[in-house]
Amino acid sequence: MELPSLDLNLVVVLHALLEERNVTRAGERVGLSQPGTSAALARLRRHFDDQLLERVGGAYQLTPLAQALRGQLGATLAQLQGVLAAQPRFDPAATDRRFVVACSDSVLAVLGPPLVAAVTREAPSASLDFRSLDARVTTDPLALLRDVDLLVVPRGLFALPDVPSVELYRDRWICATWRGNAAVGDRLSLEDVAQARWVMPFQQLLMSSPADAALAALGVDRHCAVRVESFSVLDRLVVGTDLLVLFHERLAGELTARDLRVVELPVQLPPITETAWSHPSRRLDPGHRWLVEVVSGVGAGLGQPTASASR
């Protein structure tokens, strides 16, 4: 196989030009002067025999070829960076690497403390950057995976069969309400589920949880009375109300045991299988493999959830 005789640095400049659609900003992004970036654009135009950027009015627009290239370059560069960054060994005790993990606040509450302890113990100079989930988790998970080392979300949230993953731990759903709520009994019917008012998380991210998918299969849609971008405060928000909530059993704590009671659902909901996903380009990275081994070990050590709410 023969590669075209094109400086790989020009590929980086091309990516910046197609993302910024502005020669000056693209140059600033890659550390080139405006004349240097213009010269690089001229070389790229000759190579592709295409204008790539065409001025329309006071702005540049991408040509059809440039639009097609833009869709491929991000993944290509991520894979290339993974190949070029490959090292024969990784020494956690000597690394000062920063690892980025994207997850919900529920996962952070459960997995975060033991993971931080394990990483700081084995790699004392490394750092961890926990990031909140954004809309890409459902709209473009591969793009999100390119920006992080690990994405921890439940299995079944998206369908990417070729993406490396490892199961970390399982959790269960608890349906609960305030202990003083006399509007519902100890068990709900499907009609009760449909008519009740619920506190629900992450509706803005368009994330349909496995619990809602199971209920929707029975023709039941929950009515969202309170929306919150958090899992960890769900139980607090129903205290003193007639609202219902579904939340993760591992988050059940002292407040739940004191102020809430469990309400049985008419169907058994599927378990939550929290899974760590990573971009395929990271397969060659021994540092990434080390992180996966650490987080997998931490997940395996969590054991089974134990309900704390009063039944």
Side-chain angles (χ1 to χ4, degrees):
M1 181 179 68
E2 293 186 3
L3 293 174
S5 57
L6 183 69
D7 184 348
L8 287 179
N9 287 317
L10 282 178
V11 179
V12 178
V13 178
L14 175 61
H15 184 238
L17 284 165
L18 300 188
E19 289 290 315
E20 298 292 343
R21 304 187 189 191
N22 180 283
V23 172
T24 300
R25 289 200 303 269
E28 293 173 349
R29 180 167 169 172
V30 298
L32 280 179
S33 65
Q34 196 274 342
T37 309
S38 296
L41 176 57
R43 291 181 61 188
L44 289 164
R45 283 170 166 166
R46 289 195 298 270
H47 175 82
F48 288 104
D49 191 22
D50 186 89
Q51 285 299 297
L52 300 175
L53 295 175
E54 294 180 324
R55 186 174 289 279
V56 178
Y60 281 108
Q61 291 189 1
L62 303 184
T63 66
L65 175 62
Q67 291 175 355
L69 290 172
R70 184 188 179 201
Q72 302 174 33
L73 273 175
T76 300
L77 283 175
Q79 292 174 351
L80 181 60
Q81 288 171 342
V83 170
L84 296 179
Q87 299 290 327
R89 294 176 302 276
F90 175 76
D91 183 2
T95 189
D96 60 356
R97 181 166 166 176
R98 180 174 63 93
F99 294 100
V100 180
V101 179
C103 63
S104 68
D105 61 320
S106 169
V107 170
L108 182 57
V110 173
L111 192 70
L115 179 58
V116 169
V119 169
T120 55
R121 181 173 60 251
E122 296 187 30
S125 296
S127 57
L128 279 170
D129 181 356
F130 290 102
R131 296 185 183 175
S132 301
L133 301 178
D134 61 51
R136 291 178 299 171
V137 74
T138 52
T139 61
D140 194 355
L142 269 178
L144 177 56
L145 286 169
R146 282 195 293 269
D147 291 343
V148 301
D149 291 287
L150 288 177
L151 168 63
V152 183
V153 293
R155 189 172 295 280
L157 197 61
F158 49 68
L160 292 175
D162 297 327
V163 171
S165 65
V166 58
E167 180 178 322
L168 301 182
Y169 64 90
R170 292 196 172 195
D171 210 339
R172 292 190 288 257
W173 293 101
I174 290 180
C175 177
T177 190
W178 177 47
R179 190 183 299 277
N181 178 16
V184 297
D186 293 332
R187 185 175 182 85
L188 301 175
S189 66
L190 288 176
E191 184 179 3
D192 293 332
V193 174
Q195 292 180 351
R197 288 157 36 89
W198 296 82
V199 177
M200 298 175 66
F202 292 106
Q203 301 300 295
Q204 192 169 335
L205 293 185
L206 302 177
M207 290 169 56
S208 177
S209 74
D212 280 308
L215 292 171
L218 299 174
V220 176
D221 289 324
R222 292 193 292 158
H223 171 62
C224 180
V226 177
R227 181 178 65 192
V228 60
E229 301 302 306
S230 170
F231 283 109
S232 59
V233 300
L234 287 177
D235 57 343
R236 293 167 172 80
L237 298 180
V238 301
V239 174
T241 76
D242 62 353
L243 302 176
L244 297 178
V245 64
L246 280 175
F247 66 102
H248 297 180
E249 187 172 7
R250 290 184 186 273
L251 296 182
E254 181 181 347
L255 175 73
T256 302
R258 184 177 67 244
D259 293 335
L260 303 187
R261 61 182 174 87
V262 169
V263 180
E264 297 294 333
L265 289 168
V267 294
Q268 184 173 0
L269 298 179
I272 306 156
T273 305
E274 295 291 357
T275 304
W277 310 80
S278 51
H279 196 276
S281 63
R282 303 188 188 278
R283 285 191 176 104
L284 296 176
D285 180 357
H288 180 75
R289 291 198 298 270
W290 170 82
L291 177 64
V292 171
E293 290 174 0
V294 172
V295 75
S296 179
V298 168
L302 291 176
Q304 296 299 316
T306 302
S308 299
S310 175
R311 293 183 181 272

